[in-house]
Amino acid sequence: MSKANSTSTRQREEEDEQGSAHGAAGEQLSTAPREERPDTGAGVPAMSVIGWVRWFWRQLTSMRVALILLFLLSLGAIPGSLIPQTSVDDMKVQAFKEQHTTLTPVYEALQLFDVYSSVWFSAIYILLFVSLIGCIVPRTGQFVGQLRSRPPGAPKRLTRLPAYTTWRTEAEPEEVRAAALAVLRKRRFRGHEVGDAVAAEKGYLREAGNLVFHIALIVMLIAFASGQLFKSEGGKLVVEGDGFSNTLTQYDDFKSGSLYDADSLAPFSFVLDDFVGTYEKSGPQRGTPRTFEARVTYAEGADGAERKGVIKVNEPLVVDGTKVYLIAHGYAPVVTVRDGTGKVVSKSAVPLLPIDNNITSSGAIKVMDGYKDKNGKKTQLGFKAFFVPTFAGHGKGQMFSQFPALDFPVLALSAYQGSLGVDSGLAQNVYQLDTSKMKEFKDKDGELLKKMLMPGEKLDLPDGAGSITYEGTEEWASFQISQQPGNGWALGGAIAAIAGLAGSLFIQRRRVWVRAVRGADGVTVVEMAGLGRSESAKLPEELGDLSAALVTTAPVAPAAPEKPDAADTPDGSAATAATNEAGSRPVHPAEAPAEGAEK
């Protein structure tokens, strides 16, 4: 037992001495588990600030991160499509807030009512922009270098390539290489002669398409950004016979980008001569518009010549880069209001807003100035108006239009007097009547005075207070006047992106080598091989077509006669092997030796 202990002690001492002899190198080469290694105090070196910046830049400019940012940008656009946006329709935003009092604080904190100008959407947008630029710049340099360089020389063993063919010919090697270079260049290969072979390459447009796709994305991002920053958009309702001048005070509502200058409004004007609308009168599509157009007279500039134009749905009038779209249509009853003495106080066409597809309309008629009651006191009149272009008739249900055309127009009015509230200085909806400071006109039964009128009929106010007459009906059209400078660039970028993506997907980059050397028997041996950057079933087929074209210049040599005693001599054996391998005809790429095969 003591002898065994002394032996083991001696072995440990020898191992300690051997480890001391190896020093630090021996410790580093130790195969002991990491937790059993002695702590040398050397930790992982910490990256500097520059190192972290480089790491972050490499991650940001990688294709993976670019795709993630593009996916996040598409996700971020979803709430902008589902939730009302302040920049599009502030009235819908206010109505949404009133209906969803619980969600409103959350949406406001997340800036979901202003998605496209929010901090988080802008951050994704800018990061994607920087990522694309960081990806394009180095790849552009690499592509330019590839264009300036020549295809590499032929590998030593062409039989290892996926597409291969060979044959023997009596043509001289120099003639074969010259003919091969001519054939390849005719097929739009970039080629040159390197040593005993011709090297050629084709498909550079694949990388060009990739670069065009990325550059087009940048162009689209810039176009969208400029369109949001420098855009202007406003709405105007115009009654037949009235006009519009492109100045800020003429708009019913106007919105613009943060960098837009009101002085940039294009000077032009137009008059709505006539609105033409026809509708399907029968069948399942009854009431569907068939003709929907606004005929206008417009002039470009302050003193421009007048020209006729027609504005249709999705066919805007374009004047000096500004587009005028037709977006809505309705009716404006022409009413005349008289006081108790018969004096005309107001006569105008009053636009009413449609509430259904048959253009049942509602609104308000307001007489703010010029009216005096029977005592000579100035006051204001208000009428709630309800209009149907095609009345179903008395006793046939509720008063809703049966058809959108003016077949049987009827105007229903109810009358009020007092203060309209317009003198307070607060903004007021012109299509709604605030009756909080007004009194109802009463009929003989003590009820609210109201009446349905057909064209030419009038409503007499009680106690000689005057009357209101329904004279007829005009039509109105609502227009959207918009100026977005980036639309053309965005369209061009989208087309270029599709073209570049198609090129990067369908164009295959490949290389072809043709080697022609003189064999031991004096006959030229031709080898052709191809290699693609990606797997393609067309590469062997293309190589077969190239070899067929080359055979016309370098025809296949007749097979050498076989000798009965060739197998008994070393030289004869080698000749027979060469004949069997090269053959007396081109070997189709499908018959080529497998990868790794040797001659």
Side-chain angles (χ1 to χ4, degrees), residues 361-531:
S361 307
S362 65
I365 301 172
K366 302 178 183 181
V367 180
M368 293 176 283
D369 300 308
Y371 176 78
K372 295 180 181 180
D373 60 12
K374 62 182 180 179
N375 298 322
K377 182 181 178 181
K378 290 184 178 181
T379 186
Q380 295 175 332
L381 298 178
F383 302 88
K384 288 185 178 180
F386 198 85
F387 176 79
V388 289
T390 302
F391 184 46
H394 294 283
K396 295 185 178 180
Q398 297 179 343
M399 186 178 172
F400 281 93
S401 179
Q402 305 300 305
F403 194 71
L406 280 172
D407 292 344
F408 188 2
V410 171
L411 176 65
L413 297 174
S414 56
Y416 300 81
Q417 65 175 339
S419 175
L420 293 170
V422 295
D423 299 330
S424 63
L426 299 177
Q428 190 178 91
N429 192 330
V430 296
Y431 302 105
Q432 294 180 353
L433 184 65
D434 182 8
T435 60
S436 59
K437 297 181 180 179
M438 305 190 77
K439 295 181 180 179
E440 301 176 347
F441 280 103
K442 303 291 185 179
D443 58 13
K444 61 182 180 180
D445 298 327
E447 301 292 335
L448 172 65
L449 179 66
K450 54 186 178 180
K451 185 178 181 180
M452 290 190 298
L453 306 176
M454 290 187 291
E457 296 182 344
K458 69 177 180 177
L459 170 63
D460 291 319
L461 302 179
D463 300 329
S467 65
I468 179 171
T469 305
Y470 173 29
E471 307 285 358
T473 309
E474 298 285 353
E475 298 187 60
W476 60 259
S478 181
F479 300 93
Q480 177 180 296
I481 300 95
S482 63
Q483 183 178 3
Q484 290 185 324
N487 283 351
W489 286 98
L491 177 61
I495 295 174
I498 294 173
L501 184 61
S504 64
L505 290 177
F506 298 110
I507 296 177
Q508 298 295 327
R509 189 171 176 183
R510 61 272 195 202
R511 290 172 179 170
V512 173
W513 292 275
V514 182
R515 174 175 287 144
V517 295
R518 193 180 302 279
D521 57 355
V523 180
T524 301
V525 178
V526 182
E527 291 182 290
M528 291 187 68
L531 178 65

Side-chain angles (χ1 to χ4, degrees), residues 41-265:
V44 178
M47 284 200 303
S48 62
V49 176
I50 297 178
W52 278 108
V53 171
R54 288 177 178 174
W55 178 86
F56 178 77
W57 177 254
R58 285 195 298 268
Q59 298 300 316
L60 181 61
T61 56
S62 65
M63 183 62 67
R64 180 182 67 257
V65 173
L67 292 175
I68 292 174
L69 290 173
L70 191 61
F71 178 68
L72 291 177
L73 194 69
S74 61
L75 286 181
I78 293 177
S81 303
L82 300 178
I83 301 174
Q85 298 295 294
T86 305
S87 60
V88 178
D89 195 334
D90 188 58
M91 297 295 294
K92 286 186 178 181
V93 173
Q94 295 300 326
F96 183 90
K97 290 180 178 180
E98 293 174 359
Q99 296 175 2
H100 304 84
T101 56
T102 304
L103 290 176
T104 295
V106 179
Y107 284 7
E108 289 179 341
L110 296 176
Q111 298 178 301
L112 295 184
F113 294 116
D114 299 279
V115 168
Y116 303 111
S117 59
S118 62
V119 174
W120 55 269
F121 191 86
S122 301
I124 298 174
Y125 195 91
I126 294 173
L127 286 175
L128 178 60
F129 188 81
V130 174
S131 176
L132 289 174
I133 293 179
C135 180
I136 287 174
V137 171
R139 295 185 68 170
T140 302
Q142 294 173 4
F143 182 59
V144 171
Q146 292 173 0
L147 291 178
R148 297 178 62 181
S149 63
R150 291 186 171 188
K156 184 177 180 181
R157 296 181 178 179
L158 295 178
T159 56
R160 293 176 179 265
L161 300 182
Y164 174 82
T165 184
T166 181
W167 72 93
R168 288 155 46 91
T169 181
E170 294 180 349
E172 295 296 327
E174 295 78 7
E175 296 177 3
V176 175
R177 290 194 289 268
L181 189 59
V183 169
L184 290 169
R185 287 178 176 174
K186 187 176 181 181
R187 303 293 181 92
R188 297 188 300 277
F189 278 83
R190 293 177 64 234
H192 67 117
E193 193 170 341
V194 185
D196 60 356
V198 172
E201 189 168 1
K202 187 178 181 180
Y204 289 89
L205 288 179
R206 178 185 179 89
E207 183 62 22
N210 201 353
L211 290 175
V212 167
F213 173 74
H214 287 82
I215 294 174
L217 287 182
I218 292 181
V219 171
M220 291 172 63
L221 291 176
I222 294 176
F224 292 147
S226 63
Q228 292 296 319
L229 293 175
F230 296 98
K231 75 172 183 178
S232 67
E233 185 176 279
K236 179 64 178 179
L237 187 149
V238 183
V239 180
E240 288 177 332
D242 291 343
F244 167 79
S245 179
N246 194 28
T247 57
L248 199 58
T249 56
Q250 288 280 302
Y251 284 92
D252 295 333
D253 58 86
F254 183 82
K255 296 175 183 177
S256 62
S258 57
L259 299 181
Y260 184 80
D261 185 3
D263 296 334
S264 301
L265 287 172

